[in-house]
Amino acid sequence: MTPTLRTLFIAAGCLLLAAPLFAADEPKRPECIAPASPGGGFDLTCKLVQSALINEKILTKPMRVTYMPGGVGAVAYNAVVAQRPADAGTLVAWSSGSLLNLAQGKFGRFDENAVRWLAAVGTSYGAIAVKSDSPYKNLDDLVQALKKDPSKVVIGSGGTVGSQDWMQTALIAKAAGINPRDLRYVALEGGGEIATALLGGHIQVGSTDISDSMPHIQSGDMRLLAVFADKRIDEPEMKDIPTAKEQGYDIVWPVVRGFYVGPKVTDEEYNWWKAAFDKMLASEDFDKLRDQRELFPFAMTGPELDTYVKKQVADYKVLAKEFGLIQ
């Protein structure tokens, strides 16, 4: 082989090594579906990556955010699996609550194996919210009111019996010796509707998420009786919020947030998104964006995430059986 040809082959080999391991193009019409009404955690999750993917120059045009409320994720899940299974441009936001619903069969005929789990981008924690002028100053105040007459305390939650928000208050009730079935719930579509109902006086308590609540905490309209974290959160605006554990209720409920795609998205297209999220999640700028939206680090993509999701669903099935939600 002549020196010139050898040089050309070496150069070509270097180019192949430097090239991505997949050849899919950037999606032409990227879309993030928030499976709830505007203003809640799914909306927050979509808008976080909408900003980050542009900031990191991964997308050349902004991803649009659309809303598909219904069944706290069930409508969107079924729509993507049945109607848009191969649409590589469509991401759908999910949370730990989505996995809990899947564990109980609330997404209909499709289970946790029906989609391709793509990325987890952060975590929050469950919380119990009241209006700033509420007579309940701590969890014990709320528990005493529930023991006296549970029908007098209207609790707003995202979803019906068995939902993530329901489970949070059910765990409190169980710890206090109260039958969770005696609690009075109003089923709402996500954190945005819970905040609206609480501030409007239609409910007395919101079983929600700390991320959804912080704008209202900072405005002075809302207080949190407890956050379901293992210890107090070391953030200036959150450090004074007591945990349930320190009030004698050993309950921790993280709310992981992420994205999935349809089941027939090709490996090339899936790997394009995986590489995009891996790059984004490693960025210091993304850390700042996530922190601004009151989310905490939790980064996982691809097969590792798929394993995590399947394990969580299995664990939630055990919990659901304990509460008589499934056989």
Side-chain angles (χ1 to χ4, degrees):
M1 184 183 292
T2 66
T4 303
L5 283 175
R6 184 180 293 110
T7 302
L8 286 172
F9 275 110
I10 291 171
C14 290
L15 284 172
L16 286 171
L17 288 172
L21 299 177
F22 46 88
D25 295 325
E26 175 185 336
K28 291 181 180 177
R29 297 187 64 204
E31 174 187 8
C32 185
I33 296 177
S37 302
F42 290 131
D43 189 9
L44 176 150
T45 309
C46 279
K47 287 178 177 172
L48 168 62
V49 297
Q50 180 189 49
S51 299
L53 290 169
I54 286 292
N55 287 359
E56 295 296 322
K57 298 181 170 54
I58 293 169
L59 292 180
T60 55
K61 56 185 177 181
M63 170 186 286
R64 62 195 177 105
V65 176
T66 57
Y67 302 93
M68 196 179 289
V72 193
V75 170
Y77 200 84
N78 280 263
V80 168
V81 176
Q83 300 164 25
R84 301 163 68 171
D87 188 347
T90 300
L91 307 185
V92 186
W94 62 269
S95 74
S96 299
S98 311
L99 307 187
L100 180 61
N101 284 344
L102 279 168
Q104 297 172 67
K106 289 188 174 184
F107 282 10
R109 60 196 175 101
F110 299 119
D111 64 11
E112 65 274 16
N113 299 300
V115 301
R116 303 195 72 174
W117 301 97
L118 178 61
V121 298
T123 188
S124 181
Y125 294 94
I128 300 297
V130 295
K131 284 182 70 175
S132 56
D133 60 356
S134 169
Y136 311 131
K137 304 302 181 185
N138 51 50
L139 273 186
D140 280 334
D141 286 348
L142 175 60
V143 165
Q144 292 309 313
L146 291 172
K147 283 183 174 180
K148 186 175 181 180
D149 188 349
S151 69
K152 294 286 181 66
V153 183
V154 183
I155 303 169
S157 66
T160 55
V161 171
S163 71
Q164 173 171 257
D165 293 344
W166 180 89
M167 191 66 74
Q168 292 175 169
T169 49
L171 287 166
I172 291 173
K174 183 180 178 183
I178 302 168
N179 185 346
R181 299 282 183 171
D182 291 338
L183 302 184
R184 183 179 173 189
Y185 286 96
V186 174
L188 300 164
E189 276 288 339
E193 287 195 6
I194 291 172
T196 299
L198 184 63
L199 298 179
H202 306 295
I203 59 177
Q204 282 80 54
V205 176
S207 184
T208 184
D209 176 305
I210 193 169
S211 299
D212 296 348
S213 306
M214 286 313 297
H216 308 289
I217 303 296
Q218 291 166 334
S219 69
D221 295 325
M222 192 184 287
R223 286 188 290 109
L224 292 184
L225 300 184
V227 60
F228 296 115
D230 190 56
K231 58 184 179 181
R232 288 206 184 195
I233 297 170
D234 188 20
E235 294 283 337
E237 66 275 18
M238 298 181 182
K239 62 183 177 61
D240 293 329
I241 300 170
T243 66
K245 285 185 74 171
E246 72 186 70
Q247 297 179 73
Y249 301 87
D250 191 9
I251 302 164
V252 176
W253 195 276
V255 184
V256 176
R257 298 194 176 279
F259 301 92
Y260 64 80
V261 294
K264 294 184 180 179
V265 170
T266 68
D267 287 346
E268 274 190 345
E269 293 163 334
Y270 178 87
N271 286 336
W272 188 95
W273 277 118
K274 181 184 182 303
F277 274 91
D278 285 338
K279 178 183 177 182
M280 184 189 79
L281 289 165
S283 162
E284 290 184 5
D285 288 338
F286 176 75
D287 288 345
K288 293 173 185 175
L289 282 175
R290 181 173 53 199
D291 186 62
Q292 288 168 9
R293 288 160 176 80
E294 315 297 352
L295 288 175
F296 307 98
F298 189 99
M300 200 177 285
T301 63
E304 183 186 12
L305 176 66
D306 186 76
T307 300
Y308 170 84
V309 165
K310 306 296 172 54
K311 173 68 164 55
Q312 284 297 105
V313 171
D315 290 346
Y316 286 148
K317 284 179 180 177
V318 172
L319 185 62
K321 284 179 181 178
E322 288 179 10
F323 280 93
L325 301 170
I326 59 174
Q327 298 300 314

